[in-house]
């Protein structure tokens, strides 16, 4: 019987808020907005069916339920941190290290590697979630995936895929244009040029929505999770949505798909045949996942 895990991003938000005693402090640590942290905590509370925090002007305090859960969250993230501290001497021969930005690592890469290993069960991979720049020196990654132009020289640069943004929601969401049900993504300063609902509305022939209405998320992965939990309609990366679409967690209630301005880039060391082979397979898997997601886009609203 498969386990139904709480969303990882929600657990990260709750653990950080409990440790810092503040929604604002947790947001600063995680690099997202305070409303995004609050929304993730609410998602976790709904998932568990209990209130974990009392909110006050001075910050947040744990309820009895929160105090009973916190040790397990803290221990789990401590163990994850220990995994990240494994040095180059601990890397097993033949294992390839793949590094990716947060949303890629959380919403696409694990499933892509799993699909590839069905045909290459001998492939051993270590996944790392980290932001640019990363060190490609001893103990560094063999492959790096990120959005747009990556700041690395001496590596092979290739386009992983040029993604699209599609509306996603929990199955059963109304197929109507309702600004109060939109989830807006704050891409952050480094990605301020990425499309938002205003751009999608222009492509679809609608008036630009008021960004003050609806909900907000500090990352595309958070927006997709909010939509899956019934928080409204998010504008999600089709690549990242593919597996949730296949699992029935979300659907695309209406089109069109909006192409992103730049593609995702994959960099790898040319001297290692195993890096080139895995990069080839990741590029193929990305295109297949994107094609699947776009096949699930429903007709535009009339």
């Amino acid at each position: 019987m498969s386990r139904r895990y709480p969303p990882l991003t929600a657990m990260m938000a709750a653990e950080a808020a409990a440790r810092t005693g503040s929604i604002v402090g947790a947001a600063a640590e995680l690099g997202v907005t305070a409303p995004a942290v609050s929304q993730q905590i609410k998602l976790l509370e709904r998932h568990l069916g209990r209130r974990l925090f009392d909110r006050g002007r001075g910050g947040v305090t744990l309820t009895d339920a929160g105090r009973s859960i916190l040790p397990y969250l803290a221990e789990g993230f401590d163990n994850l941190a220990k995994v990240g501290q494994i040095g180059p001497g601990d890397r097993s021969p033949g294992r390839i290290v793949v590094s990716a930005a947060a949303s890629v690592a959380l919403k696409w890469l694990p499933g892509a590697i799993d699909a590839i290993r069905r045909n290459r069960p001998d492939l051993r991979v270590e996944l790392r979630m980290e932001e640019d720049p990363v060190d490609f020196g001893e103990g560094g990654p063999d492959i790096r995936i990120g959005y747009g132009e990556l700041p690395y020289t001496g590596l092979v640069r290739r386009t992983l895929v040029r993604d699209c943004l599609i509306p996603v929601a929990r199955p059963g969401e109304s197929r109507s244009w309702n600004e109060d049900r939109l989830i807006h993504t704050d891409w952050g300063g480094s990605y301020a040029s990425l499309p938002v609902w205003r751009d999608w509305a222009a492509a679809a022939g609608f008036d630009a929505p008021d960004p003050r209405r609806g909900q907000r998320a500090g990352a595309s992965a958070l927006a997709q999770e909010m939509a899956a939990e019934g928080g409204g309609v998010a504008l999600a990366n089709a690549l990242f949505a593919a597996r949730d679409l296949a699992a029935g967690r979300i659907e695309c209630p209406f089109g069109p798909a909006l192409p992103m301005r730049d593609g995702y880039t994959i960099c790898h060391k040319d001297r290692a045949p195993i890096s080139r082979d895995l990069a080839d397979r990741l590029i193929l898997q990305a295109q297949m996942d994107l094609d699947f997601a776009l096949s699930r886009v429903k007709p535009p609203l009339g």
Side-chain angles (χ1 to χ4, degrees):
M1 180 178 177
S2 62
R3 298 177 180 179
R4 185 169 180 260
Y5 295 103
L8 176 61
T9 48
M11 292 191 289
M12 291 172 64
E15 190 275 336
R19 183 163 34 77
T20 63
S22 164
I23 297 295
V24 174
E29 180 176 304
L30 297 173
V32 298
T33 63
V37 171
S38 295
Q39 181 62 33
Q40 286 301 301
I41 290 173
K42 291 177 183 177
L43 290 178
L44 183 60
E45 289 176 329
R46 285 204 297 269
H47 181 96
L48 298 174
R50 61 190 70 182
R51 187 164 51 87
L52 303 179
F53 293 91
D54 287 321
R55 282 84 167 168
R57 290 185 177 180
V60 293
T61 56
L62 289 165
T63 63
D64 289 342
R67 280 189 290 272
S68 69
I69 290 170
L70 178 62
Y72 298 103
L73 289 178
E75 181 181 3
F77 287 116
D78 284 345
N79 288 334
L80 286 175
K82 291 175 183 176
V83 171
Q85 293 168 0
I86 295 175
D90 299 304
R91 186 194 294 188
S92 300
R95 177 167 291 155
I96 187 167
V97 177
V98 183
S99 166
S103 292
V104 179
L106 289 172
K107 300 303 297 182
W108 178 72
L109 191 54
I113 293 295
D114 181 64
I116 290 170
R117 291 191 72 250
R118 292 172 198 164
N119 295 319
R120 281 289 307 275
D122 59 311
L123 188 66
R124 291 185 295 172
V125 177
E126 176 184 333
L127 302 184
R128 297 180 184 174
M129 182 176 70
E130 47 197 351
E131 297 304 318
D132 291 308
V134 299
D135 185 359
F136 275 87
E138 184 179 5
D142 301 291
I143 292 176
R144 171 67 181 170
I145 300 173
Y147 181 73
E149 290 291 329
L150 299 185
Y152 306 109
T153 59
L155 301 172
V156 177
R157 293 165 174 262
R158 304 161 67 185
T159 298
L160 176 73
V161 75
R162 189 184 178 203
D163 203 0
C164 296
L165 296 178
I166 60 174
V168 299
R170 187 166 65 180
E173 180 78 20
S174 173
R175 291 193 74 248
S176 61
W177 178 247
N178 182 349
E179 292 188 30
D180 292 322
R181 293 294 292 164
L182 299 183
I183 301 170
H184 299 268
T185 301
D186 292 321
W187 291 102
S190 299
Y191 302 102
S193 64
L194 290 177
V196 293
W197 275 114
R198 178 186 62 252
D199 303 296
W200 184 93
F206 291 97
D207 292 335
D210 185 346
R212 296 171 297 182
R213 297 170 64 178
Q215 301 193 76
R216 304 196 73 83
S220 59
L222 293 180
Q224 185 173 318
E225 283 297 321
M226 289 168 66
E229 294 292 339
V233 184
L235 202 55
N237 296 71
L239 181 66
F240 304 159
R243 280 170 180 77
D244 280 349
L245 286 168
R249 288 190 72 224
I250 57 175
E251 66 178 7
C252 179
F254 45 78
L258 181 65
M260 299 182 72
R261 296 185 177 99
D262 296 301
Y264 282 91
T265 300
I266 184 167
C267 296
H268 63 85
K269 300 174 181 178
D270 188 44
R271 64 180 179 272
I274 190 172
S275 296
R276 292 198 303 271
D277 178 69
L278 181 55
D280 289 342
R281 293 173 184 270
L282 286 168
I283 291 170
L284 177 61
Q285 187 64 47
Q287 191 59 56
M288 289 192 300
D289 288 341
L290 178 60
D291 290 344
F292 170 79
L294 295 180
S295 75
R296 304 297 291 270
V297 177
K298 292 185 179 178
L301 296 172

